[in-house]
Amino acid sequence: MDNPLLNNTHSLPAFSAIKPGHIEPAIDSILADLRSSLEKILDQDSCATWSGLVEPLDSMHDRLSRAWSPVQHMNAVVNSDALREAYNACLPKLSAYWSELGQNQRLYQAFKSLAEGPEFSLLDTAQQRVIENALRDFKLSGVALPPEQQKRYREIAERLSKLTSEFEEHVLDSSNAWSKLITESSQLDGIPDTALAVAKQAAEQKDLSGWLLTLEFPCYIAVMTYASNRQLREELYRAFSTRASDQGPHDSRYDNTKIMEEILQLRHEQAQLLGFDNYADYSLQTKMAESPQHVLDFLNDLAERALPMAQKELAELTAFAKDHLGLSELKAWDVTYASEKLRTHLFDISQQQIKQYFPFDKVIAGLFAVVERLYGLSITQQDDVDTWHPDVQFFQIRDADNQLRGEFYLDLYARPKKRGGAWMDECVVRRRVADSIQTPVAYLTCNFTPPADGQPSLLTHDEVTTLFHEFGHGLHHMLTRIDYSAVSGINGVEWDAVELPSQFMENWCWEKQALALFSAHHQTGEPLPERLLQKMLKAKNFQSGMQLVRQLEFALFDMRLHAEYDPQQGARIEQILQQVRDQVSVIEVPDFNRFQHSFSHIFAGGYAAGYYSYKWAEVLSSDAFSLFEETGIFNPETGQHFLQSILEKGGSQKALDLFVSFRGREPDIEALLRHSGITADTRAA
Ligand SMILES: [Zn+2]
């Protein structure tokens, strides 16, 4: 059988030829090959060399990733039952392979010999970093421990993986367990028609008449933002903020209390087994921040600066709610609703009006024009490329020397069976193969409204910003000049620096000169009028103090929870959360609120002792952009400098060193404060 997943090592994936039946046999066959190749590598007498160890391993894993990447991608964007089944069948096989590799004693020893041998000092810095990162990851996966502790490490890892997935299931199940049927339309006053249509459909699917409200986020947020029925807002707020907890209307079997306690206890034990004081120390091994204290100082400093502004914003909101909405006391379930009313009152901005200036084709052409000006790139569409869906477009990026630097698939419209949200993912990673270079390929995925009724797809300004953000990740992946896949593009970049190139690109969405390139009224061709831009700029930092302290509350809670775990006293989850709220929160949280019980980022996702990364990277991206503010937002020299210092370097050096080489100094928080409206913008207009 000709399996397209087994023979695509020198070309783009043949998406249209991939059938669910190809997947498991291909992965089985590749994994078997990898295991026997690994044995052969380790059996050589002198395997501890770059060309005897790192290069062949890299080729092996490139083959796996070239087969798996299109499968993983199609599972996300053109899902079907058969595809999902094949995909899920492979997951445990892949995870078993990777954990086997992380625990492979002989492989670890080979890397160690390479690091300690004479060849190491002859390698370039990127190669040395590949080896150092590999040793770090071996150490973090417990391979260096004595057998008894290694066994315990594995037990903990297995238990943790079970607990974190139970945590997530409880959040999902308790969300699904709640719904409320409304039969009187007057109860739903204020809620937009689009949200009502979804609620009506949800009712119909259960053979009910009326509107079925659920805790799915779009429904929840529509009620909280627009429903004038205060009692309804309170009811949804209560249900949502008590999910998977001991409180509220949910089934107590979904209560995450014990799971959270055990997760924190096991993480602490795991970190201590590896020789760290606590899990926060362990988590920071793969991050830019030096220590938990370093992170806490950063967050506390930001909190001190943001708090006065947040308090002022809350006072304004409270007064507005009292005077205009008759709410004498602002409760937690009034905040989003009153804020939306205040926003409209102050800025009179209609998303519908702004959208008219961002037709999809103009935005894409303008985005390409922006990076062309900044980095001297040219981007052209290729028509005859095989994809997974007719909507998908394919592009090539060439540099000023007309050299092919990268390629990408653009899949921008929402459709059934496509996962929500926006993201960039790797299809092919840049690396050296014999005497040529394997060009990187990216997937860029969004969920914008497709064109309909002869009208082009019109994007909101938020959507435009999202596109620029993901394109920033894409450029990081595609413009790299590093030839070793473990540190090329976004690979090997410290977790808390990954959002630098993406958040950086967002800045151009707020600059008049740039907007002229990607805005044009879809009927008249007129660029975004000055008066609309001024309104948007004024509204940009609406309540940014309150939003910032909320992010800081999450980040401080997460970091302290993992840094202060004490086996004698347990996790003290509520106690620490309360202390953090006393410090930074401006909105009074009701006693029944159990937000922590559904805080999946840190209990089930990859953000444990890492939630601060969002703000951390924003300091870097804001500060990097401020050099463009100083030298001109389209200054080609500054553009080249950013390209060469950051984008091309990938993970080949420490993020801090790369940043310093671009900015000429260590990161400064000033630009972030100014961009967030916390300090005044004194730049000339
Ligand atoms: Zn991002």
Side-chain angles (χ1 to χ4, degrees), residues 208-219:
L208 301 165
S209 60
W211 298 266
L212 194 66
L213 301 180
T214 69
L215 297 183
E216 280 177 33
F217 196 72
C219 177

Side-chain angles (χ1 to χ4, degrees), residues 252-296:
S252 62
R253 72 196 147 125
Y254 304 135
D255 184 4
N256 273 334
T257 308
K258 285 202 180 100
I259 292 179
M260 291 152 74
E261 190 71 34
E262 194 181 346
I263 287 176
L264 291 166
Q265 179 243 315
L266 289 174
R267 282 180 181 161
H268 185 75
E269 187 185 342
Q270 189 177 42
Q272 292 219 318
L273 268 178
L274 295 170
F276 299 103
D277 283 347
N278 52 59
Y279 188 82
D281 272 324
Y282 165 82
S283 162
L284 294 185
Q285 294 303 304
T286 49
K287 298 182 175 74
M288 202 178 150
E290 284 155 18
S291 64
Q293 195 55 49
H294 189 194
V295 174
L296 290 171

Side-chain angles (χ1 to χ4, degrees), residues 186-192 196 213 219-234 236 327 333-334 336-338 340-341:
S186 60
Q187 299 279 305
L188 302 168
D189 276 353
I191 302 175
L196 290 179
L213 301 180
C219 177
Y220 169 72
I221 199 69
V223 172
M224 297 313 290
T225 312
Y226 300 108
S228 50
N229 181 343
R230 193 183 196 193
Q231 211 183 337
L232 185 68
R233 291 201 307 269
E234 179 179 352
L236 258 84
L327 297 169
W333 44 90
D334 299 325
T336 313
Y337 173 76
E340 183 56 27
K341 291 276 181 284

